[in-house]
């Protein structure tokens, strides 16, 4: 491992990632002589790359699509990574490669910061049943949300996600959404619907209570139609860019030994880059 602490983002593709902007900003802000790079690694080469991570000079890494599940199998995962079924952060302790999933605290941290009046003692509706939904459900369960309605096109996939949580997570179909929204204190979109180039999300925010909170994990566009409609009703919202920023905090701390802050200046920097791209 190099004397200068260096982390990287491993993905295929990887060039689109905004993680270098975030981590290099914090390194400069905190006066740390470190670095953060992008490594585009094909799936077939991923196991060998991970096995030689320290030899390549890295103290850890972020992992993105399509490597998150494989990263879990090639490391020592914590409870969060095991529950989510994927690892997005790798780090060394006692010369062993450990992993975690910071999407959990990324989602909850952004929700706390952006929608401070959201209530953990209320019902939630989570749209989607992929890896992001796993992180969201685990985070909400950790915070004590008593009832989560999981809505997905594939009922079987949703049932696999819900199974470990018993009666606290129930599976619903898209046909059930209209009846669920009036009871929900929180609605979270973890699907790609509403993303640039994808179909819109068919959700009527007029059915939500006046005190409801709406979160959307999509961050391209920065303000999705769902969040625009929710804000138009005066509802609290939390966007995907905020989650991206908050999920980066613990990885930085694990690698560089200092806990950074998500600031308006950092958000403005990443927003500007998203707008240009």
């Amino acid at each position: 491992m190099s004397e200068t602490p260096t982390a990287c983002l491993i993905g295929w593709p990887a060039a689109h990632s905004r993680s270098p902007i975030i981590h290099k900003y914090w390194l400069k802000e905190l006066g740390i002589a470190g670095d953060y790079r992008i490594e585009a690694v094909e799936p077939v080469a991923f196991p060998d790359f991970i096995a030689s991570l320290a030899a390549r000079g890295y103290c850890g890494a972020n992992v993105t699509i399509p490597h998150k599940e494989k990263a879990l199998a090639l490391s020592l995962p914590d409870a969060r990574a095991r529950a989510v079924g994927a690892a997005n952060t790798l780090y060394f302790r006692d010369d062993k490669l450990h992993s975690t999933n910071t999407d959990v605290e990324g989602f909850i941290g952004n929700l706390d910061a952006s929608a401070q009046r959201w209530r953990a003692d209320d019902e939630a509706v989570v749209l989607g049943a992929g890896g992001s939904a796993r992180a969201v459900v685990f985070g909400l369960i950790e915070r004590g949300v008593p009832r989560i309605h999981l809505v997905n096109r594939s009922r079987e996939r949703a049932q696999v996600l819900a199974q470990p949580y018993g009666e606290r997570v129930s599976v619903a179909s898209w046909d059930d959404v209209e009846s669920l929204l009036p009871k929900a204190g929180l609605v979270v979109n973890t699907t790609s619907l509403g993303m640039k180039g994808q179909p819109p999300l068919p959700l009527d925010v007029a059915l939500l209570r006046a005190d409801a909170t709406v979160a959307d994990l999509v961050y391209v566009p920065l303000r999705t139609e769902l969040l625009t409609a929710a804000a138009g009703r005066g509802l609290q919202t939390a966007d995907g860019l905020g989650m991206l920023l908050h999920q980066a905090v613990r990885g930085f701390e694990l690698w560089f030994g200092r806990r950074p802050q998500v600031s308006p200046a950092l958000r403005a920097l990443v927003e500007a880059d998203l707008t240009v791209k």
Side-chain angles (χ1 to χ4, degrees), residues 120-153:
D121 61 351
D122 214 337
E123 292 189 25
V125 172
V126 176
L127 308 175
S132 296
R134 287 178 176 272
V136 167
V137 169
F138 185 80
L140 293 177
I141 290 290
E142 271 197 331
R143 285 295 291 269
V145 173
R147 183 79 168 172
I148 300 170
H149 303 281
L150 191 62
V151 180
N152 195 54
R153 284 178 297 181

Side-chain angles (χ1 to χ4, degrees), residues 11 13 20 25 37 81 96 114 122 125 159-160 162 171-172 174 198 204 206 245 248-249 251 255 260 266:
Y25 176 90
R37 303 169 186 161
K96 294 180 180 179
S114 303
D122 214 337
V125 172
Q159 287 171 335
V160 170
V171 175
W174 283 97
Q198 297 294 320
D204 186 2
L245 297 173
V249 170
W255 306 321
L266 173 59

Side-chain angles (χ1 to χ4, degrees), residues 8-20 36-43 46 49-50 61-72 86-90 100-103 132 219 244 247 255:
C8 65
L9 180 283
I10 310 169
W12 187 260
H16 65 284
S17 174
R18 271 71 183 189
S19 291
Y36 187 98
R37 303 169 186 161
I38 285 181
E39 294 279 7
V41 179
E42 295 181 73
F46 183 72
F49 189 93
I50 291 301
N62 281 133
V63 182
T64 190
I65 295 172
H67 302 313
K68 290 184 178 183
E69 288 77 16
K70 181 62 78 173
L72 186 80
N88 74 342
T89 302
L90 301 172
T100 186
N101 192 303
T102 64
D103 285 338
S132 296
Y219 61 87
L244 176 70
Q247 66 80 31
W255 306 321

Side-chain angles (χ1 to χ4, degrees), residues 243-259:
M243 177 175 170
L244 176 70
L245 297 173
H246 281 273
Q247 66 80 31
V249 170
R250 188 155 67 99
F252 186 96
E253 184 178 21
L254 288 167
W255 306 321
F256 302 114
R258 299 275 299 278
R259 188 169 183 84

Side-chain angles (χ1 to χ4, degrees), residues 123-125 127 147 149-151 155 170-187 202-209:
E123 292 189 25
V125 172
L127 308 175
R147 183 79 168 172
H149 303 281
L150 191 62
V151 180
R155 194 173 186 91
S170 61
V171 175
S173 70
W174 283 97
D175 292 336
D176 300 320
V177 170
E178 285 193 4
S179 64
L180 294 174
L181 292 183
K183 300 184 293 183
L186 172 68
V187 176
L203 193 82
D204 186 2
V205 298
L207 297 172
L208 290 168
R209 297 172 355 208

